[in-house]
Amino acid sequence: MSEDNNKVQSPTGSTGPTGAAGPVSPVLQVAPLGFPWQTIDPFLFCVYHDDAYPRGNAGMGPDAPLAGRQIGQDFSRKDGWSMYHGDTVPGFPSHPHRGFETVTIVRKGLVDHSDSLGATARFGGGDVQWLTAGKGIVHSEMFPLLDAKAPNPLELFQIWLNLPARSKMAEPHFTMLWSDDIPRFASDDAKGGRTDVAVIAGQLGDAANGQAPIQPLAPPPDSWAAQADADVAIWTIKMTPGAQWTLPAATGEGTRRMLYFFKGATALVGGQRVQGPVAIELRAELEVELVNGPDEASEFLVLQGRPIAEPVVQYGPFVMNTQAEISQTMADYRRTQFGGWPFDDTAPVHGRETTRFARHPGGREEVPTA
């Protein structure tokens, strides 16, 4: 990536407001994507996993030697994949959280979830799990490799959305958003390009700009996203080569917005040429024209919201407002284990033949319609 391609420059073709020096660029800053991705309040963390796992073995782990990996702490990307904290099946065995939410968007592959509420799930193929940790939860997230004859690619985002102080100690809440239920929007431009948007959180469009609003599925009740004035949005965007689409302006006052250009070669963002992969902070109050490059499809993730604007004190998987609250969290976890772990295994997987499902606390079961 050339540094010159990603400096904030005066855009050409911007349709935004005009200042004393000409049109105001919707682009505030551009930075290369790392691991994890940089975020802005109200988001705490965003990581993108894109693992080219081989065929699976009898234990639903990789049918490949594990020599040379630091098992239990393998983020090596050796041969295009990692074991993470798993030792047989890749993934993240039981670990605690308090004070925020995890939003896990699984685009390819499967995740097996288990938690201290007694909930279990297997989800993937565009499904989203939204978990409010609140006052405390322990969960595991394992990546079973079910295909014994072919590769098992895995692609997912995990996003941490902060909770305000008044909700830090909310009751934990488990939510599944199945892929076929998630609203989607498609736009075909005059030149034959196509843009597809998945609306995971946050209304897309409004009558004022001529587009019938697309409403997302309901977020958990104590989420910052459940506040009408929080203006939280989580959208994924896919554009065919040469496609054009205008990202509408945010409606909330003080909203901040990040656009992650994570797949593709080049694009024009508000008239500025960028070369992926990059994180682009935008002026949320401005609409932004996106024009994909001519050579390949491109994909973007949008995270936006009004900042919570409270102190953030983090200690690993705990996010509170003060150091005293972190100390209390650690004491609480040592004393209660946030309800304890109800499974025999710290890294449960749900069987080779099991299809996608969710079993909620209390035993209610649901399966996707397709």
Side-chain angles (χ1 to χ4, degrees):
M1 175 174 58
S2 168
E3 183 178 345
D4 289 341
N5 286 336
N6 296 295
K7 291 180 178 177
V8 178
Q9 302 165 349
S10 297
T12 58
S14 173
T15 58
T18 300
V24 175
S25 172
V27 176
L28 289 170
Q29 63 171 328
V30 183
L33 285 180
F35 186 92
W37 295 352
Q38 67 183 75
T39 55
I40 52 178
D41 189 359
F43 297 93
L44 299 163
F45 174 88
C46 180
V47 67
Y48 175 58
H49 295 282
D50 188 9
D51 288 283
Y53 290 114
R55 66 186 185 184
N57 61 22
M60 291 176 280
D63 187 12
L66 300 182
R69 298 177 182 272
Q70 187 177 347
I71 297 304
Q73 188 71 29
D74 173 36
F75 290 75
S76 66
R77 299 278 307 158
K78 185 176 182 290
D79 301 323
W81 52 274
S82 300
M83 289 294 290
Y84 302 107
H85 296 309
D87 54 15
T88 300
V89 175
F92 296 85
S94 60
H95 56 281
H97 292 302
R98 175 181 274 187
F100 63 98
E101 301 183 284
T102 62
V103 182
T104 307
I105 306 167
V106 184
R107 293 155 55 88
K108 295 178 184 176
L110 294 167
V111 172
D112 278 3
H113 166 90
S114 305
D115 69 40
S116 55
L117 303 175
T120 56
R122 170 169 285 174
F123 59 101
D127 300 330
V128 177
Q129 184 201 70
W130 197 318
L131 188 68
T132 304
K135 68 179 184 181
I137 197 169
V138 181
H139 73 153
S140 69
E141 306 152 290
M142 306 308 297
F143 310 147
L145 309 183
L146 302 188
D147 196 327
K149 297 181 179 179
N152 290 269
L154 177 82
E155 184 186 3
L156 65 83
F157 302 107
Q158 184 163 99
I159 300 156
W160 291 10
L161 175 60
N162 201 9
L163 289 168
R166 66 176 182 270
S167 302
K168 291 286 190 188
M169 298 298 285
E171 291 296 323
H173 195 278
F174 169 90
T175 302
M176 283 301 310
L177 310 178
W178 300 111
S179 179
D180 283 359
D181 298 330
I182 293 171
R184 287 175 167 79
F185 167 79
S187 172
D188 296 308
D189 61 46
K191 296 182 180 180
R194 186 177 181 89
T195 300
D196 291 289
V197 185
V199 182
I200 295 159
Q203 175 181 297
L204 177 65
D206 57 55
N209 64 20
Q211 178 190 313
I214 297 174
Q215 298 288 352
L217 300 174
D222 292 296
S223 177
W224 184 241
Q227 309 303 308
D229 62 350
D231 204 19
V232 170
I234 302 173
W235 303 326
T236 60
I237 302 168
K238 184 173 184 179
M239 305 181 76
T240 62
Q244 302 180 33
W245 181 66
T246 299
L247 179 65
T251 58
E253 185 175 348
T255 298
R256 298 184 70 187
R257 174 182 280 175
M258 290 288 284
L259 177 70
Y260 301 94
F261 179 18
F262 67 95
K263 279 192 178 181
T266 62
L268 290 175
V269 177
Q272 179 176 324
R273 181 179 182 273
V274 293
Q275 180 175 332
V278 287
I280 307 160
E281 185 175 3
L282 299 172
R283 297 181 189 273
E285 71 276 13
L286 301 182
E287 65 178 25
V288 183
E289 185 182 50
L290 306 179
V291 183
N292 190 23
D295 298 325
E296 59 185 89
S298 290
E299 298 194 55
F300 305 83
L301 171 70
V302 175
L303 297 183
Q304 75 167 42
R306 180 168 63 84
I308 294 172
E310 294 177 352
V312 173
V313 180
Q314 179 175 355
Y315 184 81
F318 307 136
V319 182
M320 303 301 288
N321 296 101
T322 68
Q323 186 59 52
E325 290 170 339
I326 290 290
S327 298
Q328 184 62 56
T329 297
M330 295 171 67
D332 290 347
Y333 180 60
R334 285 192 296 267
R335 186 180 70 256
T336 69
Q337 297 295 294
F338 293 163
W341 186 245
F343 307 97
D344 294 335
D345 190 344
T346 60
V349 291
H350 303 320
R352 186 175 295 279
E353 304 303 322
T354 304
T355 56
R356 289 152 58 224
F357 77 98
R359 183 175 297 111
H360 290 255
R364 180 176 68 88
E365 295 197 25
E366 64 174 314
V367 294
T369 56

